[in-house]
Amino acid sequence: MGTSVQVTPLCGVYNENPLSYLVSIDGFNFLIDCGWNDHFDPSLLEPLSRVASTVDAVLLSHPDTLHLGALPYAMKQLGLSAVVYSTEPVYRLGLLTMYDQYLSRKQVSDFDLFTLDDIDSAFQNVTRLTYAQNHHLSGKGEGIVISPHVSGHLLGGTVWKITKDGEDVIYAVDFNHRKEKHLNGINQASFVRPAVLITDAYNALNNQPYRRQKDKEFTDTIKKTLRSDGNVLLPVDTAGRVLELVQILESCWADENLNYPIFFLTYVASSTIDYVKSFLEWMSDSIAKSFEKTRENAFILKRITLLVNKSELDNAPDGPKVVLASMASLEAGFSHDIFVEWATDPKNLVLFTERAQFGTLARMLQADPPPKAVKVTMSKRVPLVGEELIAYEEEQNRIRKEEALKASLIKEEESKSVQGADVSMSDPMVVDASNTHSLLDAAGPHGGGYRDMLIDGFTPPSTSAAPMFPFYENNSDWDDFGEVINPDDYVIKDADMDQGAVHVGGDMDGKLDEGSASLILDTRPSKVVATELTVQVKCSLIYMDFEGRSDARSIKSILSHMAPLKLVLVHGTAEATEHLKQHCLKHVCPHVYAPQIEETIDVTSDLCAYKVQLSEKLMSNVLFKKLGDYEIAWVDSEAGKTENGALSLLPISTPAPPHESVLVGDLKMANFKQFLSDNGVQVEFAGGALRCGEYVTLRKVGDASHKGGGSGTQQIVIEGPLCEDYYKIREYLYSQFYLL
C-alpha cells in the first residue's frame, strides 16, 4: 500500500472563508495555513481548537491574514505548539501584517484576542526555508521531506511539496502563472503527476484580460480622477498585493513624469518597504537583472511617500492625491477613516483591487449596484480626564492593594512550610507570623518591607547551625591566560535581538515605525469613543482584479499539466467548487474530492511502494551511464530476502532475456535545431515540424505531460527517403539520447 494520506478541512471550503487544513501523512499531522478573517471571529476556529494539540508541524503559504492570521491566537489559546515552517518573506511580512492588524484594532476597540507579545511569541517558532530547499523532518516525521516552491501570488508565497517514499503531496492554493513586475509565476515543471494535489477553486469562474491591458486601464482610471481634481483611495493589504501596485504606480509616474502625490499609509509602512528592499532574490527575474546591471533597488521609492500616521496625511498639501491605505476590507485601519471622509465627494474614487472578504464594508460597496448610503461606526481612543481618570486610578490602586495582600499571604504560607518543625520559635531572627499585625502596627508604613526581608532573607535552612547569607563557590577552570570562558554564553541570539528591539524610525534591526512605537509606549489611561454615522456614498466605486491569481482558463490548463492521481478542491464558492470538480472529473483525473468542514477524506495512493536493498553481487556487475546529475543503468534481477528478512534485489539465476533498447532523455526541438545548424545541416521549423535539408522532416508525436498523459509515450518521428541525409540526421538524433 502507498503512503497513507488523509485531508481534513478546518476552515475554507465551499466558501471564501480563511484557509486552514489538516493533512496527515503516515500519522504525522501537518496544519497547512492558519488563517483568520478581518472580523476575527473565534467561532471560525472551533474546528482548529479540537485538533490543535495534535498538530506536529505548521506550514504557512502566504503572508496575509487569510493564511496566517490565527497563528498568535492558536498558539496562545488553543494549545498549538508545533514548529512552524515558511519562507523568509512570509515570516517577516506576516509578522508586520499581524502588527498592523493589532494596532489598527487597538486604536478603535478594546481588542484582547492577542497582543504584540503573543505575535512575537508565535513567530519565534518559525523555521525559515528557501525556495526548492529540501528539509528532512526527524523523529515522528522521519522520512518526510518538505520543500517550498514559488506560487507567484505574494512575495515569498509558497506551493508546498511534501514527499514520502517517492510520492508527492502538493498544496497549491492562490498560485499565479503570470510573471508580474515584482514576482515570477509558478513553475509548473516542478509538479508533474503528484499522488495528491490540494488546490483551490477561488477563481474557477473568472477570466482576466492581458496584464498590459489591465495595467493601462488601472493607471488611466487613476489619472482621469486626478485630472478632475479628485482623490483616489486604494484600500490595500499590509504587505502583500500592495507591492505590485506600488511598482505599477512608480513606473507610470516615472514614465509620464506625473507630479500628483502618492502616499502609502499603514502602521508599518516604513518597516515593510525596508524589509522588501532586502528580498530582491525572492522577486522576478527582471528586478534581479535590473539590480545587477544598474545597482538600483526597485523598492527605493522615489515618487511614493511612506506614512505611519493619519495626521501626516491630514497635514499634506491640498490637492488631488493617491492614497494606498490598509485595510482592504475597510473594517478597520486608515482606509476606513479615509473612506468616511472622501465618500461624500463625487469627484473622488475608491478603487478596489481585490474581492473583499464576505460580510465586510468593502464587500458591500462592491455590490452591483452599490449602496447609496452605508452605516459605519467611527471609533477613536481618547485619554481619560476628570472624574473618569480619578475613578480609574482609584480602581487601579484597589487592585494593586488586593494583589499585594494576596502576595503577602502566599509568602507567609511559604515561610511556614519552609520553617516547619526544625525552626525554633526562640530564634531571634524569625518573625512569628501570628504577630504579623502587631509588628506592622509597630513598624509603621515600612513594617511590611522589614518583615518580608527578615523572613525571605534570613530564614535558616534546617541543616544550618545559624542564619547565613547564601554562598556559591566558584569552580571555574583556569589556564595561563585566566578564567576559561564559554563563547556561546556571550552570543546574542537573533530572537533575543528581535524581542529586545523597540523599532523606531523604520530601522531594519527592529520591527515597528516611530508612530507605531509611540502608540505602544503610550500607557496613559484611555477609553474608546464610538459614533454611529450614515455615510452618503457619492464617490465613484470601481473594482479591478489585481489579486495575482491564475484565472479559470489557466487553472484548468495547469491542472491538466500537473495531472495528479488524486485531486482535493478547497476554498471557493459552492458554485465555483462544483464547476471545477465536474471539469476535472472529465479532463484531469477520475478521483476528485471536495470535502466539507471536519470531513476527513482518505486519499492514500493506490500504488504499492516497497523498500528494497541492492545486493553487492548485483551492483558489482552494473554499468552506469551518466545522465545530467544522475547515473542510470539497466538491471535484470529477481526479488529475494536477506538474512534479516528485508527485501533485496539479487542477480537472476538464469541468463537475462534480451530487452528492447531504451532511449532515455528529453529532446527539445529548438536545442536540436541549433545542434544540427552547428553541424552544417540546413534546418528550419515549418508547420510544427523540423525540416532538415531537402528531404528529411522531424516531428514530435504525443506529449507525456498532456492531460495527465501516461496513455502513450512521447515519440520523435523521422520522415523522408532512405538516403545519406536520413541516416546522418538519425545518427545525430540518437546522439541526443542515452541508449540502455
Side-chain angles (χ1 to χ4, degrees):
M1 202 63 179
T3 301
S4 173
V5 182
Q6 288 82 35
V7 178
T8 308
L10 304 177
C11 190
V13 290
Y14 284 101
N15 53 42
E16 298 174 4
N17 282 343
L19 297 87
S20 184
Y21 312 100
L22 187 71
V23 178
S24 179
I25 298 180
D26 281 348
F28 189 90
N29 293 329
F30 288 99
L31 175 64
I32 309 186
D33 283 335
C34 188
W36 218 350
N37 60 16
D38 280 6
H39 290 300
F40 288 98
D41 180 7
S43 66
L44 283 175
L45 305 183
E46 289 180 2
L48 174 59
S49 67
R50 289 189 273 271
V51 300
S53 60
T54 67
V55 172
D56 299 303
V58 181
L59 306 181
L60 301 178
S61 64
H62 294 90
D64 60 356
T65 312
L66 286 175
H67 294 85
L68 54 71
L71 188 64
Y73 183 84
M75 292 280 191
K76 177 185 179 183
Q77 302 287 359
L78 305 183
L80 183 64
S81 58
V83 63
V84 182
Y85 296 94
S86 78
T87 60
E88 183 72 23
V90 168
Y91 163 71
R92 293 292 180 187
L93 302 181
L95 191 64
L96 292 175
T97 296
M98 296 311 299
Y99 280 162
D100 196 29
Q101 287 280 11
Y102 173 82
L103 294 171
S104 296
R105 278 155 179 76
K106 197 63 178 175
Q107 290 307 298
V108 296
S109 66
D110 295 321
F111 186 78
D112 60 357
L113 293 175
F114 53 82
T115 65
L116 292 175
D117 288 338
D118 296 330
I119 298 172
D120 286 339
S121 177
F123 279 83
Q124 275 183 357
N125 296 326
V126 176
T127 299
R128 281 95 85 184
L129 306 177
T130 59
Y131 282 146
Q133 175 186 347
N134 290 327
H135 181 79
H136 296 259
L137 303 184
S138 57
K140 184 180 178 182
E142 186 72 35
I144 298 177
V145 181
I146 60 174
S147 176
H149 295 265
V150 178
S151 76
H153 174 51
L154 302 181
L155 183 59
T158 303
V159 171
W160 283 104
K161 177 191 282 189
I162 309 171
T163 304
K164 176 77 182 289
D165 294 337
E167 295 186 8
D168 295 334
V169 176
I170 306 296
Y171 176 79
V173 298
D174 296 332
F175 58 80
N176 187 14
H177 68 291
R178 300 186 182 189
K179 283 190 175 182
E180 297 186 310
K181 284 187 174 294
H182 85 294
L183 291 177
N184 287 326
I186 187 175
N187 181 12
Q188 301 175 36
S190 301
F191 319 107
V192 178
R193 299 295 283 174
V196 180
L197 172 63
I198 305 170
T199 192
D200 66 296
Y202 188 81
N203 252 6
L205 298 175
N206 301 323
N207 288 312
Q208 300 170 349
Y210 291 109
R211 200 195 89 185
R212 290 184 180 179
Q213 174 187 343
K214 188 171 61 172
D215 290 1
K216 184 177 186 305
E217 184 182 353
F218 174 73
T219 53
D220 286 349
T221 301
I222 291 175
K223 288 184 292 183
K224 181 180 178 181
T225 301
L226 295 173
R227 287 165 180 162
S228 301
D229 206 30
N231 297 317
V232 180
L233 169 64
L234 286 90
V236 295
D237 51 16
T238 303
R241 293 302 302 169
V242 65
L243 302 179
E244 180 71 10
L245 303 179
V246 162
Q247 285 298 302
I248 293 172
L249 293 173
E250 273 276 316
S251 176
C252 176
W253 258 237
D255 293 344
E256 302 186 26
N257 197 25
L258 300 175
N259 295 318
Y260 299 108
I262 305 175
F263 300 101
F264 178 29
L265 174 60
T266 75
Y267 282 105
V268 292
S270 298
S271 294
T272 299
I273 299 301
D274 282 342
Y275 277 127
V276 169
K277 288 176 189 173
S278 66
F279 291 148
L280 296 187
E281 72 272 21
W282 298 85
M283 297 185 190
S284 65
D285 296 336
S286 59
I287 284 184
K289 289 177 181 177
S290 175
F291 181 74
E292 289 175 3
K293 290 180 180 179
T294 65
R295 310 308 293 177
E296 288 189 5
N297 192 313
F299 279 90
I300 295 178
L301 305 179
K302 299 175 182 177
R303 290 167 174 80
I304 298 179
T305 304
L306 307 179
L307 305 179
V308 297
N309 199 306
K310 188 172 179 296
S311 61
E312 297 176 293
L313 178 65
D314 295 337
N315 295 330
D318 292 335
K321 61 181 73 70
V322 179
V323 177
L324 301 96
S326 63
M327 303 291 170
S329 64
L330 295 180
E331 284 298 296
F334 297 120
S335 63
H336 175 273
D337 297 344
I338 296 171
F339 166 76
V340 172
E341 292 179 14
W342 291 3
T344 55
D345 191 340
K347 292 185 294 184
N348 294 335
L349 167 66
V350 178
L351 180 52
F352 298 101
T353 57
E354 62 181 69
R355 265 176 290 172
Q357 298 173 26
F358 185 78
T360 61
L361 175 59
R363 186 62 168 257
M364 191 186 309
L365 295 170
Q366 290 176 12
D368 187 17
K372 295 182 179 180
V374 292
K375 289 186 177 181
V376 299
T377 302
M378 290 295 292
S379 303
K380 63 178 180 179
R381 187 170 290 278
V382 297
L384 295 180
V385 294
E387 295 182 358
E388 287 182 327
L389 179 59
I390 294 172
Y392 173 84
E393 291 175 344
E394 289 178 351
E395 178 65 16
Q396 293 300 308
N397 288 333
R398 183 187 65 78
I399 293 173
R400 280 194 291 269
K401 288 179 180 178
E402 288 182 356
E403 291 177 349
L405 179 59
K406 289 180 182 178
S408 65
L409 293 174
I410 291 172
K411 287 181 179 180
E412 289 174 8
E413 293 297 327
E414 290 176 350
S415 127
K416 289 180 181 179
S417 62
V418 169
Q419 292 174 25
D422 295 330
V423 179
S424 171
M425 294 304 295
S426 62
D427 192 319
M429 300 306 294
V430 178
V431 177
D432 185 355
S434 62
N435 296 326
T436 298
H437 298 292
S438 60
L439 284 169
L440 283 171
D441 294 340
H446 302 290
Y450 288 129
R451 182 201 68 192
D452 289 347
M453 180 182 69
L454 288 170
I455 292 175
D456 293 344
F458 292 93
T459 300
S462 58
T463 56
S464 64
M468 61 184 294
F469 286 106
F471 171 73
Y472 304 99
E473 185 175 357
N474 187 353
N475 294 322
S476 302
D477 296 330
W478 292 74
D479 59 17
D480 294 339
F481 300 98
E483 183 179 351
V484 177
I485 65 171
N486 180 10
D488 292 340
D489 294 340
Y490 300 89
V491 174
I492 302 177
K493 298 180 180 178
D494 291 341
D496 295 337
M497 292 180 67
D498 282 349
Q499 273 198 326
V502 175
H503 183 83
V504 177
D507 186 7
M508 281 291 292
D509 291 335
K511 300 169 185 173
L512 294 178
D513 304 283
E514 186 173 356
S516 305
S518 66
L519 294 174
I520 300 169
L521 299 175
D522 186 2
T523 58
R524 292 178 299 172
S526 61
K527 66 176 181 179
V528 174
V529 178
T531 307
E532 294 284 342
L533 297 176
T534 299
V535 178
Q536 301 298 320
V537 182
K538 299 180 180 179
C539 64
S540 300
L541 301 171
I542 296 178
Y543 166 70
M544 294 185 182
D545 186 353
F546 279 85
E547 294 178 336
R549 294 181 174 95
S550 292
D551 62 2
R553 185 172 51 249
S554 303
I555 289 171
K556 294 169 184 176
S557 174
I558 291 170
L559 293 181
S560 294
H561 173 82
M562 289 187 179
L565 299 178
K566 295 187 178 181
L567 178 64
V568 181
L569 297 179
V570 297
H571 198 236
T573 63
E575 183 183 3
T577 302
E578 192 60 31
H579 170 81
L580 188 57
K581 179 179 179 180
Q582 295 305 319
H583 169 84
C584 292
L585 284 170
K586 291 181 181 179
H587 303 287
V588 178
C589 69
H591 304 288
V592 182
Y593 306 88
Q596 299 285 350
I597 295 292
E598 293 190 280
E599 177 189 353
T600 300
I601 57 169
D602 191 334
V603 286
T604 299
S605 171
D606 298 327
L607 301 176
C608 293
Y610 301 95
K611 291 183 178 179
V612 296
Q613 297 179 358
L614 300 178
S615 64
E616 293 184 8
K617 289 182 179 180
L618 176 68
M619 298 304 295
S620 62
N621 296 320
V622 173
L623 297 177
F624 284 96
K625 292 185 178 181
K626 192 168 182 61
L627 176 61
D629 296 333
Y630 302 94
E631 291 184 349
I632 60 174
W634 181 280
V635 176
D636 290 297
S637 65
E638 58 187 20
K641 288 191 176 182
T642 61
E643 295 179 356
N644 58 7
L647 287 175
S648 177
L649 292 183
L650 307 170
I652 58 176
S653 54
T654 59
H659 68 271
E660 293 184 5
S661 297
V662 178
L663 295 174
V664 181
D666 183 17
L667 180 71
K668 299 290 190 295
M669 296 295 274
N671 295 342
F672 189 52
K673 174 179 178 291
Q674 184 63 45
F675 176 81
L676 292 176
S677 179
D678 293 342
N679 284 274
V681 179
Q682 290 185 349
V683 59
E684 63 178 354
F685 280 111
L690 196 61
R691 192 166 186 176
C692 310
E694 295 185 27
Y695 309 111
V696 182
T697 302
L698 271 71
R699 68 177 74 248
K700 255 185 187 180
V701 179
D703 186 347
S705 65
H706 180 65
K707 287 191 179 181
S711 58
T713 57
Q714 179 179 312
Q715 295 179 338
I716 306 291
V717 177
I718 310 178
E719 299 173 345
L722 297 177
C723 58
E724 183 179 349
D725 284 350
Y726 177 88
Y727 290 110
K728 181 171 68 172
I729 291 169
R730 189 181 71 171
E731 195 64 30
Y732 285 146
L733 180 61
Y734 285 171
S735 70
Q736 304 300 301
F737 294 89
Y738 294 85
L739 183 64
L740 292 179

